[in-house]
Amino acid sequence: MQLIYQMELRGNDDRSDQLELAFEENENKYTEADKAYIENVVYGVFAKLEELDAIVGQNAKGWKLSRLAKIDLSILRLCIYEIKYRDDIPFNISINEAIELAKKYGTEDSGSFINGILSKAVPPDAIVKIKNSQGM
């Protein structure tokens, strides 16, 4: 989430350079599995950015994406990406983690704001439909 947030702030800087720098700065912090996950979600979120932002925008009634706190938007993008494209992460884990990240890094209201958007964007019956349509 922190890398997605950083990349959102930096704009068009080279993502592979930013990933490499993050891995170098935290050389002993990440396992190879951690690195693979981070690369997957970072590249995946930015590859699916329009789709993810459309989902957020449809469910953030009365809010333009440009008005959302960048940290909240980064958390929402990550969570929705995990739910739609990461079969190894149960959707309830993604949602709970998103809410906890929002409480830790966002504003006082970020946790409930993220919870509200995700509850509309990804209701449990939609998860079943998504997984079924992907042959799971």
Side-chain angles (χ1 to χ4, degrees):
M1 183 276 308
Q2 291 172 330
L3 273 171
I4 293 169
Y5 173 67
Q6 270 182 319
M7 290 178 185
E8 173 68 22
L9 294 178
R10 289 186 181 173
N12 293 328
D13 286 358
D14 188 300
R15 289 188 182 93
S16 59
D17 287 347
Q18 290 182 55
L19 272 170
E20 187 177 319
L21 180 62
F23 291 151
E24 285 174 9
E25 289 175 349
N26 298 284
E27 189 175 339
N28 298 318
K29 183 177 179 180
Y30 301 118
T31 66
E32 289 304 312
D34 292 338
K35 290 178 183 178
Y37 163 79
I38 292 167
E39 286 179 0
N40 175 270
V41 297
V42 165
Y43 288 124
V45 163
F46 286 100
K48 303 289 185 184
L49 201 58
E50 285 184 33
E51 175 188 352
L52 300 173
D53 284 354
I55 293 169
V56 172
Q58 291 166 1
N59 293 286
K61 303 293 182 199
W63 288 87
K64 292 182 180 182
L65 289 182
S66 61
R67 288 190 57 227
L68 294 180
K70 296 296 183 205
I71 194 73
D72 292 351
L73 183 57
S74 297
I75 293 167
L76 286 164
R77 287 171 172 165
L78 173 61
C79 182
I80 294 168
Y81 178 82
E82 285 181 344
I83 289 168
K84 289 196 73 169
Y85 298 103
R86 293 291 305 218
D87 301 332
D88 58 327
I89 304 171
F91 78 90
N92 59 320
I93 299 294
S94 293
I95 291 171
N96 288 338
E97 190 66 23
I99 294 166
E100 291 306 312
L101 287 169
K103 289 177 182 177
K104 183 174 182 177
Y105 296 106
T107 66
E108 185 178 315
D109 298 325
S110 289
S112 56
F113 178 74
I114 298 252
N115 186 35
I117 290 186
L118 291 175
S119 68
K120 288 185 254 175
V122 210
D125 59 329
I127 299 303
V128 173
K129 289 177 188 172
I130 290 168
K131 302 257 185 222
N132 287 341
S133 71
Q134 294 174 345
M136 295 176 217

